[in-house]
């Protein structure tokens, strides 16, 4: 998540992350059966519940591609079908490539997992200067530094900041928990990890990944940036329903600035090559790219995750859950599973690897606001194991909790405009301006061009703000009693769960 992530809400997204085991261990109810007809039936049922425009599936079994197939269309209203070569944004599936690449730097002797980050990136800094020198390369990849989940993501998502500016801004993002004492899913730390490639090799993350992974693995369709993806034919269009009006197309969202956390694009066929490499523990087609020991490190729990009561309810036999290096890890029906989701505006994806079964699955979709991307791979894994005791479509349907849309509010009379008009600044975000526009009181952003909203009263000091960029959702500006400042959240279930405080600036 991306990133932007699930409009099924952050709670559901994190449940998927920690949900390695949501089914009881039981003997197979029938002989394992996994073939194209079975996958077709699984997809057909899931798309009845979540009618996404299109998706692609790849299944690896026993060292072979069992199936790589597309379903539906690339763009609503157009006939071009999705196939196994259709390109999708894979968002946070990029993180496993980054962690594997760091493993290659370790193998090359360029750094060590437990090197202090400042050894290689002297300008790196957190908001607590006492913690900064303690942060290691491993910490960047394991979501335990102290930044809250998605904290600070609004600084890079569709903003004017370039990558160096985003990296500099990290020092202003408040920490959410003590260093190494918890878990906070952090795109900013993965962005930082990507900078290690340039500092240690002179080759940026994008070029390193192309030359050391994509090329030798034969991932010829994959792209590292939006600009590169736009040169490819057969590319899926993103669709959203986060505004609850039905799926509709989104323009391309450029998240190249966050790079190593979420910017990659790939296809079912290409991800099949990546999954075969994972099952080969660093080797594919007789070519070893990374030692087994270093690959195993990526599948070793670094940050334990609590097994929630929700998961316990589905699976009393759940033993562990945690985050490794670019992968969520857990046990399922007596097998270890590595998996990760990816969620960007209008594109959801999911990848799972079951090493003991020589099984791997990836699902790519061109829509958000659905549970299909997680339900389908779990159903496929169950089919491979011969398990029939869990209805994964129902599991993920039951986890969806669509919030009610905020009430429209009431118009702010022109005589009240002066109460709120002014420039407001946050040390973490920058400037928002409240002013009269086209007869309405409105907010505009210096950091996000094109981001604005007409304001309406919720109460005397709370103003409703439906943002012009759909992913930002609807916020509330909660003014202080003296009207000299306000607090605001930018769609905490989709972009950033921090509360930003703004103070009125002198005229």
């Amino acid at each position: 998540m991306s990133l932007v992530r699930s409009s099924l809400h952050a709670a559901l997204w994190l449940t998927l992350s920690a949900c390695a085991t949501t089914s009881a261990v039981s003997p197979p109810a029938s002989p394992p059966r996994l073939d194209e007809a079975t996958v077709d039936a699984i997809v057909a049922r899931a798309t009845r519940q979540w009618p996404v425009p299109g998706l692609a599936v790849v299944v690896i079994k026993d060292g072979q591609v069992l199936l790589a197939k597309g379903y539906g269309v690339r763009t609503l209203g157009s006939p071009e079908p999705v196939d196994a070569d259709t390109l999708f944004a894979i968002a946070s599936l990029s993180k496993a490539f980054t962690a594997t690449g760091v493993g290659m730097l370790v193998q090359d002797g360029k750094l060590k997992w437990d090197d202090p980050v400042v050894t290689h990136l002297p300008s790196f800094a957190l908001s607590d200067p006492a913690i900064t020198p303690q942060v290691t390369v491993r910490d960047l990849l394991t979501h335990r530094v102290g930044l809250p989940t998605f904290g600070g993501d609004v600084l890079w998502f569709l903003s004017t900041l370039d990558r160096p500016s985003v990296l500099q801004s990290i020092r202003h993002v408040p920490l959410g928990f003590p260093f190494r004492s918890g878990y906070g899913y952090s795109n900013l730390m993965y962005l930082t990890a990507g900078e290690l490639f340039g500092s240690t090799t002179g080759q940026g993350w994008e070029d390193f990944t192309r030359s050391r992974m994509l090329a030798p693995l034969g991932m010829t369709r994959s792209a590292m940036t939006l600009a590169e993806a736009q040169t490819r034919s057969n590319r899926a269009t993103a669709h959203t329903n986060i505004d609850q009006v039905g799926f509709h197309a989104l323009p391309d969202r450029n998240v190249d600035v966050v790079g190593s956390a979420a910017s990659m694009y790939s296809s079912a066929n290409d991800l099949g090559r990546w999954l075969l490499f994972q099952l080969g523990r660093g080797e594919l087609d007789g070519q070893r790219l990374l030692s087994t020991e270093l690959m195993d490190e990526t599948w070793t729990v670094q940050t334990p995750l609590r097994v929630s009561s929700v998961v316990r309810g589905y699976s009393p036999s759940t033993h562990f859950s945690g985050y490794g290096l670019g992968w969520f890890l857990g046990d399922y029906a007596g097998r270890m599973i590595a998996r990760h989701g990816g969620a960007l505006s209008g594109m959801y994806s999911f990848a799972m690897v079951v090493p003991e079964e020589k099984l791997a699955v990836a699902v790519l979709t061109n829509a958000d606001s659905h549970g299909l991307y997680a339900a389908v791979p779990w159903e496929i894994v169950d089919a491979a194991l011969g398990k029939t005791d869990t209805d994964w479509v129902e599991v993920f349907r039951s986890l969806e909790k669509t919030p009610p849309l905020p009430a429209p509010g009431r118009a702010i009379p022109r005589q009240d405009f002066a109460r709120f008009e002014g420039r407001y600044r946050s040390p973490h975000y920058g400037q928002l301006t409240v002013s009269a526009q086209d007869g309405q009181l409105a907010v505009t952003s210096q950091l996000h061009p094109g981001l604005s909203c007409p304001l309406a009263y919720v109460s005397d000091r709370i103003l409703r703000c439906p943002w012009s960029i759909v992913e930002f959702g609807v916020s509330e500006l909660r003014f202080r009693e003296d009207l000299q400042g306000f607090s605001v959240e930018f769609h905490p279930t989709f972009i950033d769960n921090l509360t930003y405080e703004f103070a009125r600036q002198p005229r």
Side-chain angles (χ1 to χ4, degrees):
M1 188 232 277
S2 91
L3 143 115
V4 189
R5 61 238 106 229
S6 172
S7 61
L8 303 179
H9 309 112
L12 171 57
W13 192 91
L14 292 172
T15 299
L16 302 183
S17 301
C19 201
T21 60
T22 49
S23 172
V25 177
S26 61
S30 60
R33 174 179 171 80
L34 186 58
D35 55 21
E36 184 171 350
T38 302
V39 175
D40 287 348
I42 289 169
V43 170
R45 180 166 179 263
T47 53
R48 285 195 293 272
Q49 174 64 40
W50 299 287
V52 301
L55 69 150
V57 178
V58 60
V59 181
I60 308 297
K61 187 72 173 80
D62 298 328
Q64 302 292 327
V65 177
L66 180 70
L67 174 142
K69 187 174 181 179
Y71 302 82
V73 296
R74 298 178 221 161
T75 305
L76 271 178
S78 297
E80 293 84 4
V82 173
D83 61 31
D85 286 321
T86 301
L87 210 60
F88 294 79
I90 64 170
S92 286
L93 299 191
S94 307
K95 290 180 170 69
F97 288 85
T98 299
T100 300
V102 172
M104 291 177 175
L105 297 180
V106 173
Q107 181 170 268
D108 294 346
K110 301 293 186 181
L111 51 70
K112 296 181 177 64
W113 293 116
D114 297 310
D115 281 352
V117 174
V118 292
T119 301
H120 304 285
L121 300 173
S123 64
F124 171 74
L126 297 174
S127 60
D128 185 340
I131 294 174
T132 296
Q134 301 178 59
V135 177
T136 66
V137 172
R138 189 187 303 271
D139 293 323
L140 296 180
L141 302 171
T142 53
H143 305 305
R144 64 188 190 188
V145 167
L147 291 177
T149 292
F150 315 145
D153 281 357
V154 73
L155 300 174
W156 58 262
F157 180 63
L158 305 185
S159 79
T160 58
L161 297 182
D162 58 14
R163 193 173 294 175
S165 299
V166 174
L167 289 162
Q168 283 293 112
S169 73
I170 291 172
R171 67 195 62 206
H172 302 300
V173 179
L175 299 179
F177 57 89
F179 181 50
R180 293 183 187 154
S181 71
Y183 167 87
Y185 188 89
S186 179
N187 291 302
L188 291 177
M189 292 299 94
Y190 262 82
L191 169 59
T192 304
E195 295 302 289
L196 294 168
F197 295 90
S199 68
T200 59
T201 70
Q203 186 180 34
W205 170 77
E206 291 87 350
D207 288 338
F208 184 96
T209 305
R210 286 189 194 100
S211 62
R212 296 289 295 273
M213 281 176 270
L214 301 189
L217 293 177
M219 298 177 66
T220 58
R221 290 278 298 154
S222 298
M224 304 302 297
T225 66
L226 174 61
E228 187 180 0
Q230 288 174 332
T231 68
R232 309 279 201 267
S233 59
N234 190 4
R235 186 166 59 91
T237 298
H239 300 81
T240 189
N241 188 30
I242 62 173
D243 46 8
Q244 301 177 41
V245 299
F247 287 119
H248 54 95
L250 282 174
D252 289 330
R253 299 304 199 197
N254 190 332
V255 297
D256 293 352
V257 67
V258 81
S260 47
S263 73
M264 291 182 67
Y265 294 75
S266 196
S267 66
N269 274 335
D270 269 19
L271 282 182
R273 301 289 294 172
W274 173 246
L275 295 175
L276 284 166
F277 169 70
Q278 294 295 317
L279 287 170
R281 308 308 300 124
E283 181 179 341
L284 181 62
D285 297 338
Q287 182 181 15
R288 177 157 293 283
L289 303 183
L290 189 62
S291 73
T292 302
E293 292 76 17
L294 288 169
M295 284 294 289
D296 285 346
E297 191 70 16
T298 68
W299 282 359
T300 299
V301 171
Q302 315 285 331
T303 303
L305 296 173
R306 185 179 64 86
V307 179
S308 70
S309 59
V310 173
V311 175
R312 289 289 188 199
Y314 287 118
S315 176
S317 61
T318 293
H319 295 99
F320 78 95
S321 182
Y323 199 86
L325 300 168
W327 293 96
F328 289 96
L329 305 168
D331 58 328
Y332 179 70
R335 288 85 164 174
M336 192 278 280
I337 285 188
R339 78 257 178 235
H340 213 291
L344 185 64
S345 306
M347 294 262 185
Y348 281 3
S349 56
F350 205 79
M352 299 175 66
V353 186
V354 191
E356 293 152 287
E357 296 294 326
K358 300 180 182 178
L359 172 68
V361 181
V363 174
L364 307 171
T365 76
N366 60 354
D368 59 31
S369 306
H370 63 85
L372 176 148
Y373 77 119
V376 166
W378 283 110
E379 288 280 359
I380 291 172
V381 168
D382 271 6
L385 299 179
K387 289 177 84 292
T388 60
D389 55 337
T390 303
D391 182 341
W392 289 104
V393 171
E394 179 58 27
V395 166
F396 288 104
R397 188 205 63 77
S398 70
L399 290 171
E400 294 177 346
K401 296 177 182 177
T402 302
L405 291 173
R410 55 187 175 86
I412 300 175
R414 181 174 289 275
Q415 62 266 28
D416 287 0
F417 285 11
R419 298 179 67 214
F420 305 105
E421 285 181 313
R423 293 179 296 109
Y424 298 82
R425 177 164 289 278
S426 161
H428 309 133
Y429 177 86
Q431 182 173 297
L432 290 176
T433 299
V434 180
S435 62
Q437 296 182 24
D438 300 323
Q440 289 183 299
L441 195 65
V443 173
T444 55
S445 168
Q446 189 176 65
L447 183 61
H448 290 87
L451 182 66
S452 62
C453 69
L455 294 169
Y457 272 131
V458 174
S459 66
D460 185 54
R461 289 186 287 110
I462 300 176
L463 307 185
R464 182 179 187 270
C465 174
W467 294 108
S468 55
I469 297 176
V470 65
E471 292 95 325
F472 281 77
V474 179
S475 295
E476 289 184 343
L477 276 58
R478 296 177 172 269
F479 278 82
R480 301 199 307 251
E481 189 171 355
D482 61 7
L483 301 182
Q484 294 305 298
F486 60 83
S487 63
V488 65
E489 296 176 341
F490 297 96
H491 208 324
T493 62
F494 200 84
I495 293 179
D496 189 331
N497 67 2
L498 292 178
T499 299
Y500 288 82
E501 300 288 342
F502 287 81
R504 190 189 290 267
Q505 300 300 292
R507 293 185 181 274

